[in-house]
Amino acid sequence: MRGGTAYVRCDVEDKQLHALLAHQGEVLKTSTKTRVRRLGQWAVKETHHGVASRFIGRARRRSRHPWMALNYLRRKGVRVPEPLAYIEYGRLGLVKSSAHIFQYLSFFYDVETWLSLQIREGIEGKDITAFLDGLAKAVNTLCDSGAWHADLSGKNIMTRDGTQFYFVDLDAVQLDGGYNDEKRLKNHVQLYDSFCDALSDALLVPFIQAMLPDHLDLRVWMPKVRKAQQERRTKVEAYWAKHGPPERMNPLRGFLSEHALEMEQQA
């Protein structure tokens, strides 16, 4: 691609990329380093790389990571936004900026918001159980892929109808290192924390059990989940007391995800 190096789907031509990127589209989010635009059924995340990151291989690999994670997870049967292209702009081996193009999930909600809206509409218990069963199966597919999502809170799982689930925020996905019980516990705490304000343990314990392998005892596991969730909540509330709550709060619960909290503390 003129002016950059493009990694694209095999059915995408160079002129199609140029035509797509030529449109201004709808700006969804901006920051000092990134801009996210919507172009029809696609989202474009453009990132400006600082001077140091242009030279450091690790930083460049981090920039490419969401593109790699999307393709890896799709090959493993995990539902994620459809990848279209990843483009690096620069010269002489230096990357000044990049653009990642992927599917925009129209009319999707994160699962916390979806459940909140359904509760307001009077969803019945059996339908909540079916929703949680489907979500557990989706999480199991992700875990079986060998990847680990370090921020598997409900805000990073999207659905349109409560039966199919798509994972987002793939910067937090680790493709190496495998999956183990320590990582499993962290994910279960994140998911439990996402729903425990709205749902009772009569629903959430079977949900956790559906994601538990045979070698783990639910009677031992659930106390660990509850304890870690309380510790997580205490940490977030302490952060709020010091820095104030986020401007936008989920209608079901307004707590920062663990990953987001860690990123804020490192900034």
Side-chain angles (χ1 to χ4, degrees):
M1 181 175 183
R2 181 179 300 177
T5 301
Y7 304 84
V8 299
R9 273 187 356 202
C10 60
D11 60 339
V12 177
E13 297 181 359
D14 190 54
K15 62 181 180 181
Q16 292 175 301
L17 276 185
H18 279 293
L20 183 65
L21 292 170
H23 292 281
Q24 176 61 30
E26 174 190 359
V27 177
L28 302 176
K29 182 179 179 180
T30 60
S31 69
T32 56
K33 293 184 178 182
T34 64
R35 180 176 67 157
V36 180
R37 295 180 290 144
R38 180 184 178 184
L39 303 174
Q41 64 176 322
W42 303 106
V44 181
K45 181 179 179 180
E46 298 164 311
T47 304
H48 174 75
H49 300 276
V51 175
S53 66
R54 299 176 191 176
F55 296 91
I56 301 173
R58 182 179 179 183
R60 291 179 61 184
R61 289 193 296 272
R62 187 186 306 122
S63 177
R64 297 173 182 174
H65 183 77
W67 165 257
M68 297 170 63
L70 279 175
N71 285 279
Y72 175 90
L73 292 173
R74 280 177 64 85
R75 290 196 301 269
K76 296 292 184 177
V78 180
R79 285 194 173 95
V80 291
E82 181 182 353
L84 183 71
Y86 171 73
I87 308 162
E88 292 179 340
Y89 298 98
R91 55 181 301 183
L92 302 176
L94 304 181
V95 179
K96 296 182 178 180
S97 62
S98 61
H100 184 204
I101 308 175
F102 52 92
Q103 179 186 8
Y104 179 81
L105 298 176
S106 299
F107 304 108
F108 277 68
Y109 296 95
D110 68 74
V111 292
E112 295 179 20
T113 301
W114 187 90
L115 179 61
S116 177
L117 295 173
Q118 296 303 308
I119 289 174
R120 292 177 185 178
E121 295 294 323
I123 189 173
E124 297 182 359
K126 62 180 179 60
D127 295 321
I128 295 177
T129 298
F131 162 76
L132 292 174
D133 286 346
L135 179 56
K137 291 177 181 178
V139 171
N140 287 339
T141 300
L142 172 62
C143 297
D144 291 342
S145 75
W148 178 54
H149 199 310
D151 190 9
L152 199 60
S153 57
K155 70 178 183 61
N156 286 330
I157 308 172
M158 309 296 290
T159 188
R160 184 162 55 185
D161 57 9
T163 64
Q164 294 186 346
F165 304 93
Y166 289 71
F167 298 96
V168 297
D169 189 18
L170 301 186
D171 292 276
V173 170
Q174 296 180 11
L175 300 178
D176 53 5
Y179 200 70
N180 56 36
D181 290 344
E182 181 181 356
K183 294 176 179 179
R184 178 176 287 106
L185 178 62
K186 186 172 182 178
N187 282 165
H188 289 186
V189 170
Q190 292 162 342
L191 290 165
Y192 184 78
D193 191 50
S194 296
F195 299 118
C196 66
D197 291 329
L199 302 177
S200 70
D201 272 9
L203 291 166
L204 291 179
V205 171
F207 170 58
I208 297 296
Q209 185 176 21
M211 298 181 289
L212 208 61
D214 293 339
H215 72 273
L216 293 174
D217 188 337
L218 181 67
R219 295 169 296 179
V220 176
W221 190 256
M222 277 309 304
K224 291 182 179 180
V225 171
R226 294 189 187 98
K227 179 182 179 182
Q229 183 268 330
Q230 287 297 322
E231 293 172 350
R232 182 178 192 268
R233 193 67 70 92
T234 298
K235 180 190 293 186
V236 172
E237 290 176 347
Y239 180 86
W240 275 22
K242 183 176 181 180
H243 301 282
E247 294 182 3
R248 294 185 63 187
M249 293 176 62
N250 183 279
L252 185 58
R253 63 172 198 96
F255 290 91
L256 287 171
S257 71
E258 187 169 355
H259 179 68
L261 177 59
E262 292 171 352
M263 294 299 290
E264 289 283 353
Q265 291 173 334
Q266 293 171 7

